[in-house]
Amino acid sequence: MTKVTEANFDEFTFDSSLAVLVFFGSKRCKLCKELAPVILAIADENTHRLNVCWVDVDKYKPLFQRFRLQGIPHLLLFSKGEVRERIGGLHPKEALVAVIDRVLASGCATAEPGSKGVIHSDCTGCCSC
């Protein structure tokens, strides 16, 4: 899991050609310690389609504030230069993978499950809507 700082955050997230899952947490946080092995497993199993980064909120509080996060642990999923999903708290691996799969499969920032056939007003032709 790549550790990012304020200096390289935008490069690793908004400028990435792959989707990026950013794990905002702290070494002092018990839930973050429970979630870390889950995130590492997701990172290992998805290297072909997902980069995973860690932000220590105790060191980089401005990044925590920039995205108006309400607590830790918190995950942000970036794709195509946008924040596509926000996931707060502790969740099982299967639930997190389901969210990642849904967002990455949608291809369109506004697509929702089951929305195939609906034309999205801001679609760039990236999906089958």
Side-chain angles (χ1 to χ4, degrees), residues 63-83:
L63 287 174
F64 179 82
Q65 294 170 331
R66 177 179 174 188
F67 293 99
R68 299 180 183 174
L69 302 179
Q70 298 295 311
I72 56 172
H74 212 107
L75 303 169
L76 295 182
L77 180 58
F78 292 78
S79 179
K80 299 179 182 178
E82 298 179 18
V83 176

Side-chain angles (χ1 to χ4, degrees), residues 22-128:
V22 182
F23 179 9
F24 288 84
S26 168
K27 293 177 183 173
R28 63 176 163 74
C29 167
K30 184 177 178 182
L31 292 179
C32 299
K33 291 177 183 173
E34 290 183 42
L35 185 59
V38 172
I39 301 303
L40 288 171
I42 290 171
D44 287 344
E45 296 167 7
N46 293 279
T47 56
H48 62 290
R49 65 179 188 151
L50 187 68
N51 289 326
V52 178
C53 302
W54 159 263
V55 172
D56 184 337
V57 299
D58 292 331
K59 287 184 179 177
Y60 305 108
K61 192 172 182 174
L63 287 174
F64 179 82
Q65 294 170 331
R66 177 179 174 188
F67 293 99
R68 299 180 183 174
L69 302 179
Q70 298 295 311
I72 56 172
H74 212 107
L75 303 169
L76 295 182
L77 180 58
F78 292 78
S79 179
K80 299 179 182 178
E82 298 179 18
V83 176
R84 303 275 305 274
E85 193 70 43
R86 296 170 172 261
I87 307 166
L90 184 62
H91 299 277
K93 178 183 168 189
E94 295 77 18
L96 296 173
V97 170
V99 170
I100 293 166
D101 287 346
R102 176 183 52 82
V103 169
L104 297 184
S106 72
C108 180
T110 59
E112 294 294 330
S115 66
K116 189 174 180 178
V118 176
I119 298 172
H120 305 112
S121 61
D122 62 344
C123 186
T124 59
C126 59
C127 65
S128 59

